[in-house]
Amino acid sequence: MQELSLGGRRVLVTGGAGFIGSNFVHRLLALHPDVHVVVLDALTYAGRRENLDGVPASSLTFVHGDIRDPKAVATAMAGCEFVLNFAAESHVDRSIETPGEFIQTDVYGVFVLCEEARRVGVKRFVQVSTDEVYGEVLEGSSTEDWPLNPRSPYAASKAGGDRLAYAYWCTYGLPVVVTRCSNNYGPRQYPEKLVPLFVTNAIDDEPLPVYGSGLNRRDWLHVDDHCDALLTLLTFAGVEGETFNIGAQHELDVLTITATLLRLLDKPGTLIRYVEDRPGHDRRYAVDSSKLTRVTGWTPRISFEEGIVQTVQWFRANESWWRPIKQGDFRVYYERMYGQRRVLAGGQG
Ligand code: NAD
Ligand code: TYD
């Protein structure tokens, strides 16, 4: 079977103004300059038009719109043969506060996209899901056939979108590929997530709020490696209807990451503040991504040691990117999320 060709095609990237979506757009056009990218993005608090600065204007159509809006979706998808859906409400803590928005975008939005993709007859639809759909994995690592047991409103909504996209393959033959990636880090990650929050707080000598014991474990993958896996799956032959885990096999707990960041920034451990835990905090996620490697040959190229140094350097060099964010509505969010949080004596679970 032949790989699908991207040459001269239109590719719709929803959520392309967010963290992973924007990194994907930059990478796609660097490798395939003849592709035309359409970004559909609602520019929520997490989406930034400037994340696409540097993309040649002739290669990009930006549609400011919502994936829940069939008209905006039809406008954006017109003429596109490839679709990648990154658009989502993506932060677990916010999903605990406002779960409804997550269900709206991460489930209903996927429905609107799938309907239009079916009508248009796209060649491939990549639904960017997450390893959090498996829920807490205390031992071993989840393969794609593991049961889904999402435990946060974010993870549950993503599981809904994940299986809805799959249902469009089973029912209507929409050529869907579902991906479940572990935690990403890298440039332009919105500073509500662990790595960018702690890097930017530490630069400003602000406390680093570690939830509970700080022993919660995640697998950490550099965003470029995630984007390369997605690029591979966008065109790889014969994988319609398949689900692929994407991971680095590099598990770290929050305290180890925190210590690494403090060391790289030459800041003291006294910045660590143990605070009241996140409700329902999943202790561990771990995915087995051997299927992706076996089928496509993809493997991660960037070690955590290298990727985290590069990421810290990026945040140091790009204060003009994150300072305005942290001074705006983010302050209200931060006060709401962290202001009333009980400080723990030290590492209580
Ligand atoms: P992000 O929050 O940085 O970006 C989300 C983007 O989607 C933003 O640009 C936002 O404006 C846009 N958006 C939100 N709601 C929308 C709507 N209704 N219509 C149109 N656009 C909308 O998220 P991210 O970290 O870049 O994650 C991208 C995708 O990857 C998400 O689907 C997420 O579930 C998945 N994922 C993320 C990680 C991670 O570690 N960040 C890991 C695995 C999977
Ligand atoms: P996060 O970046 O929110 O990703 P996710 O919960 O989707 O994996 O959090 C990563 C880990 O860091 C998770 O175990 C929660 C923890 N964490 C803190 O300890 N303090 C914080 O302020 C944040 C945002 C996260």
Side-chain angles (χ1 to χ4, degrees), residues 80-257:
C80 293
E81 292 174 56
F82 297 85
V83 178
L84 294 105
N85 179 29
F86 293 91
E89 290 293 339
S90 69
H91 190 38
V92 173
D93 290 319
R94 291 189 193 249
S95 83
I96 295 166
E97 275 195 311
T98 52
E101 290 171 21
F102 286 70
I103 292 155
Q104 285 289 322
T105 288
D106 300 6
V107 186
Y108 184 75
V110 177
F111 157 70
V112 175
L113 287 170
C114 286
E115 276 292 289
E116 186 62 13
R118 171 161 89 99
R119 201 183 67 78
V120 167
V122 301
K123 287 205 170 102
R124 185 143 301 171
F125 184 104
V126 177
Q127 171 60 18
V128 181
S129 185
T130 165
D131 64 349
E132 302 194 24
V133 298
Y134 296 114
E136 195 168 63
V137 177
L138 293 182
E139 275 176 34
S141 44
S142 24
T143 48
E144 290 80 356
D145 53 1
W146 272 38
L148 304 189
N149 188 25
R151 289 164 27 95
S152 72
Y154 164 67
S157 308
K158 289 296 291 185
D162 173 318
R163 289 301 82 188
L164 187 61
Y166 176 68
Y168 269 68
W169 156 252
C170 300
T171 312
Y172 306 112
L174 183 69
V176 167
V177 175
V178 174
T179 63
R180 299 181 183 147
C181 190
S182 57
N183 284 54
N184 285 213
Y185 65 95
R188 294 191 291 277
Q189 187 167 27
Y190 191 83
E192 64 193 350
K193 306 276 168 44
L194 176 72
V195 168
L197 178 67
F198 281 20
V199 171
T200 55
N201 276 14
I203 289 173
D204 282 346
D205 296 307
E206 295 286 339
L208 312 186
V210 170
Y211 295 160
S213 64
L215 297 178
N216 300 61
R217 301 175 78 79
R218 304 283 186 263
D219 172 58
W220 293 90
L221 183 72
H222 191 276
V223 66
D224 284 351
D225 279 327
H226 185 188
C227 290
D228 281 348
L230 294 171
L231 264 172
T232 302
L233 290 171
L234 189 60
T235 55
F236 203 84
V239 290
E240 295 83 0
E242 297 284 338
T243 297
F244 290 92
N245 290 336
I246 307 173
Q249 265 58 250
H250 196 84
E251 229 181 279
L252 293 169
D253 65 30
V254 171
L255 283 181
T256 305
I257 295 203

Side-chain angles (χ1 to χ4, degrees), residues 239-280:
V239 290
E240 295 83 0
E242 297 284 338
T243 297
F244 290 92
N245 290 336
I246 307 173
Q249 265 58 250
H250 196 84
E251 229 181 279
L252 293 169
D253 65 30
V254 171
L255 283 181
T256 305
I257 295 203
T258 307
T260 304
L261 299 177
L262 288 172
R263 177 172 51 77
L264 292 175
L265 290 162
D266 198 18
K267 297 287 180 176
T270 48
L271 287 181
I272 295 175
R273 235 16 127 262
Y274 290 98
V275 297
E276 193 177 340
D277 209 352
R278 170 190 282 173

